[in-house]
Amino acid sequence: MLVHPQFDPIALSLGPLKIHWYGLMYVIGFLGFLIIGKMRSKEPRSVMNPDRVDDMMFWGAIGVVAGGRIGYMLFYNLKGFLSDPISLFQVWDGGMSFHGGLLGVILAMFLLARRWNLNFFQVSDFVAPLVPIGLGAGRIGNFINGELWGRATDVPWGMVFPQVDNIARHPSQLYQAFLEGLVLFLLLNWFRKRSPPVAAISGLFLVGYGIARVMVEFVREPDSQLGYVAWGWVTQGQVLSVPMILLGLLFMGVAYKVGKR
């Protein structure tokens, strides 16, 4: 039985300034997007250029943070938000939603696509293979913080989170870092090199993330303020992820149908 190391959430203190590991994970995700995105923007058939990558990172970062916070309050803590709307701005209390962040990024991509006179999916197909960098880093940040732990288990790699109880639990943060980060990154970049039709990469991202999230939710402890939302086993994360899978399959199906024409 393993025990969570209970890392200090503060990576570095510079006088009154405290830099948290979780914040650094966001920085890693944004830098990874910027570095790899600029390399890809120089490929012969790319519709992007380094300046556009800068714009995507800037507006995408705003979409991630603003959308992630708003999404968390609406999807996971609506009662708290309605009773205290100011809590929306209390980001130091924690609470970010991937699905909300995704909607924020989609809005940013839509606006940039209009500015550049591009098809929305030309932008989203470029962005999608870069997103898993931030997803994987973010889940590592969750693990360092000792949050979003898994359900009780008797598997050999079960981990005790002393800040919760003395029960061995699935280290679900690491499962998500592996599936949503490494596996999804490798899958999307392999698929990208096969020159799929426009919108297919975006569709695969939705399908891949949705499947990974639905799977891990079976061993992840549901949010305490929500619990299970249906039938005693369905979680909010699964409810939000199933439409992603269906929409992704639709995008891929239409992309290949139009491509054949």
Side-chain angles (χ1 to χ4, degrees), residues 72-92:
Y72 175 79
M73 300 304 292
L74 295 180
F75 300 147
Y76 293 93
N77 196 20
L78 183 59
K79 289 182 179 179
F81 172 68
L82 293 177
S83 62
D84 181 19
I86 300 300
S87 63
L88 174 66
F89 304 100
Q90 296 171 348
V91 294
W92 52 86

Side-chain angles (χ1 to χ4, degrees), residues 58-250:
F58 177 77
W59 293 108
I62 293 176
V64 166
V65 176
R69 182 59 180 172
I70 295 171
Y72 175 79
M73 300 304 292
L74 295 180
F75 300 147
Y76 293 93
N77 196 20
L78 183 59
K79 289 182 179 179
F81 172 68
L82 293 177
S83 62
D84 181 19
I86 300 300
S87 63
L88 174 66
F89 304 100
Q90 296 171 348
V91 294
W92 52 86
D93 290 334
M96 296 288 284
S97 162
F98 161 79
H99 296 91
L102 176 63
L103 292 175
V105 170
I106 288 174
L107 176 59
M109 290 189 297
F110 174 77
L111 294 175
L112 289 174
R114 290 193 62 183
R115 179 196 294 179
W116 298 330
N117 293 317
L118 294 175
N119 181 302
F120 169 80
F121 289 108
Q122 289 179 291
V123 179
S124 63
D125 281 356
F126 183 89
V127 170
L130 302 171
V131 173
I133 302 171
L135 294 180
R139 296 309 180 188
I140 295 296
N142 292 144
F143 179 74
I144 291 174
N145 284 348
E147 59 193 7
L148 305 183
W149 49 81
R151 305 181 197 180
T153 182
D154 58 0
V155 297
W157 57 89
M159 179 173 290
V160 173
F161 292 83
Q163 63 271 39
V164 185
D165 50 35
N166 293 317
I167 299 174
R169 297 176 175 276
H170 284 284
S172 55
Q173 314 98 321
L174 299 181
Y175 301 168
Q176 290 186 268
F178 177 70
L179 292 174
E180 300 168 11
L182 180 61
V183 172
L184 191 57
F185 177 82
L186 294 175
L187 174 64
L188 291 172
N189 282 279
W190 167 81
F191 186 62
R192 181 182 71 85
K193 293 178 181 178
R194 299 177 67 86
S195 300
V198 174
I201 297 175
S202 300
L204 183 60
F205 170 81
L206 295 175
V207 172
Y209 178 87
I211 290 175
R213 182 66 181 267
V214 168
M215 289 172 55
V216 176
E217 287 285 326
F218 282 112
V219 297
R220 175 176 161 177
E221 190 74 18
D223 295 81
S224 58
Q225 70 273 21
L226 284 180
Y228 298 108
V229 297
W231 303 310
W233 58 270
V234 177
T235 68
Q236 182 77 330
Q238 290 171 325
V239 169
L240 295 171
S241 296
V242 169
M244 290 180 61
I245 299 173
L246 299 177
L247 193 60
L249 291 173
L250 175 63

